[in-house]
Amino acid sequence: MKLPSLLTLATALFPVVTRAYTNPVAFYDLADLDVRNVNGTYYYSASTMHYSPGAPILRSYDLVNWDIIGHSVPTLNWGNKYSLIGGQAYVKGIYASWFNYNPHDGQWYWGGCIEYSTTYVYTAPAPQGPWTQHAVFEFCLYDSGLLIDDDGTPYVSYKGSTTSVATLSKDFTSIVSTTAVYTLPAAISTAEGTRMHKVNGYYYIFTDYPNTEEWVLRSTSPTSGYTLQQLTSSSNASPVSGGSPPAQGTIVQANSGQWYYMSFTWTYPLGRIPILTPMSWTSAGWPSFQLVNGDFAATYTDTESIYPSPPLTGTDTFAGTSLGPRWEWNHNPDTTKFSVNNALILQTATVTVDLYAARNTLTQRIPGQVSTATIKMDVSEMADGDRAGLAFLRDTSGWIGASKDTTGVTTIRVVTGLAMNADWSTLSTGATQASAAFTGSTVWLRATGDMLPSSDHKASFSYSTDGSTFTNLGTGFAMNTTWEFFLGYRFAIFNYATVALGGQVTVSSYTTSATGYVSGEGTYTGSTTTLPSNPTTTVSTATGTTTSPVTTTSTTGGASAEYGQCG
């Protein structure tokens, strides 16, 4: 008699569970991504340009539900302009960078080229930090990807006039050599966003023709012998209406063994948002993405487990004494002009009439399709001439806020028409669109935006004196959908002086909500719906291996870093 196999018995006793997940996996601006699976936990790095701290790190246990847990670059130490002192650094700073874990020394590494000239390397013992600067190369490894080979040799793919590979010292303190490995055809010579991997003895360098196509180079050597193959084209549509064809991605193998391609689609005014696509390998060893009728699908099914993360919407009451890792400043802040102590206290840090020049503007990515942010703000300690409120911040902007004139009268104002020139200097500081009298000490300010590229991109504003009944103010404005600023709109809390420093506001809550789904929370189908309740994460280090329970972090969680900030 033939006995049933163990696999047959296991399948009968424990039916295969499938999930369906939705693309994008998050309506959240997370461009220039790099994704890693380290001991069963997934980590995601993204670009931030002039926002500080920079290079956020997200964590997931299922590739679908993500949350920010820290930043690789604690502060932007590349000159005074990154602090809005004597200039500005808009659309400079952190572009596509490399991020990886080195099992040979138990350290995490991040590296990026700043302003096309110098590459900075940061390292940490854990993704939450603490991150410190490790090395500086007077050479630009632009739009780069890090592979750590089996013998511990680090290779960094990067883009210049050709696609090249740099060999680093094993301690990541120097560039040993650089080699041009492939000259791309003229039609795609501007391809960028390289990501380097090694799979089954082959070296792969993924690169994209901006905003339209994904290509891959392959060789049996890290520094020579590459051949080129196209993976996607401009005809492979985005799952987001009005979005660009997903590209500039990377690949990652899930804990089940299944491979995935994580890329992003350009969807302004929201930004560039992540798309997760199952993939396989051809018999010839080339990647093949699972498209549906030639397009990236809005829904896929697979057999991965689901581990929900904290929602990207909700309320932050600024509990404790530090900011959560979802917060990023517009340029480096003046750390003497803000504090967190169960509320956010923003003192004026700049005398200016220009929001773009004002220091200590605090931002978050906008979550969702039609998204709303509300702040509760005490304005009783504003000084004459101060402006404080809530903005939609980008190269064209608008805000609602409290405005205290030089006679001590406070009004609620909507200001629109703020705009930048092509070099990101200020073109217009805006004009008052509408105003309302105000005599209280506490006001709730609200901003709502339709963030999808196929929408009317309308931003609108309202306010309340009791937190319950809101009054619309002004007609709002149409948000910009051009790509040149790269980063999408953000919600921004600001306070600046037009006469003299000395005033302050206290923000006791920040609440976001959105219509539709915000992130790609999957749903199980089939006969089993029980979720693992307490996954563990294992981290190997030079001194051994530790296993610990996974805990859910709140919006104020994380590891201490710069600015008294978590992460």
Side-chain angles (χ1 to χ4, degrees), residues 438-452:
F438 178 75
T439 58
S441 60
T442 300
V443 64
W444 285 258
L445 303 173
R446 177 168 288 175
T448 299
D450 197 335
M451 308 308 298
L452 291 181

Side-chain angles (χ1 to χ4, degrees), residues 270-293:
L270 184 61
R272 294 169 290 173
I273 59 180
I275 304 297
L276 182 67
T277 307
M279 59 162 282
S280 58
W281 298 92
T282 69
S283 58
W286 292 98
S288 176
F289 303 148
Q290 184 181 319
L291 305 181
V292 177
N293 297 321

Side-chain angles (χ1 to χ4, degrees), residues 127 167-168 240 254 259 266 310 335 345 353 397 403 406 426 429 480 497 520 530 559:
T167 303
L168 306 186
V240 180
W259 285 86
W266 301 52
T335 59
I345 300 173
V353 295
S397 302
S403 174
T406 55
T426 299
T429 58
N480 184 1
T530 302

Side-chain angles (χ1 to χ4, degrees), residues 15 34 41 72 127 131 204 271 278 440 467 547 564:
D34 203 353
T41 302
S72 295
W131 287 85
Y204 296 87
T547 301

Side-chain angles (χ1 to χ4, degrees), residues 382-402:
M382 291 179 70
D384 292 355
D386 288 359
R387 311 284 186 263
L390 178 65
F392 278 104
L393 185 65
R394 200 173 184 247
D395 54 337
T396 61
S397 302
W399 58 262
I400 184 169

Side-chain angles (χ1 to χ4, degrees), residues 86-138:
Q88 46 81 11
Y90 287 107
V91 199
K92 295 179 172 66
I94 295 173
Y95 288 11
S97 48
W98 43 265
F99 171 78
N100 207 343
Y101 172 72
N102 185 0
H104 299 275
D105 64 8
Q107 294 292 302
W108 290 79
Y109 289 89
W110 178 94
C113 174
I114 305 303
E115 296 190 48
Y116 306 100
S117 64
T118 305
T119 299
Y120 293 82
V121 180
Y122 290 76
T123 187
Q128 295 95 327
W131 287 85
T132 56
Q133 185 173 298
H134 179 73
V136 178
F137 306 148
E138 297 300 332

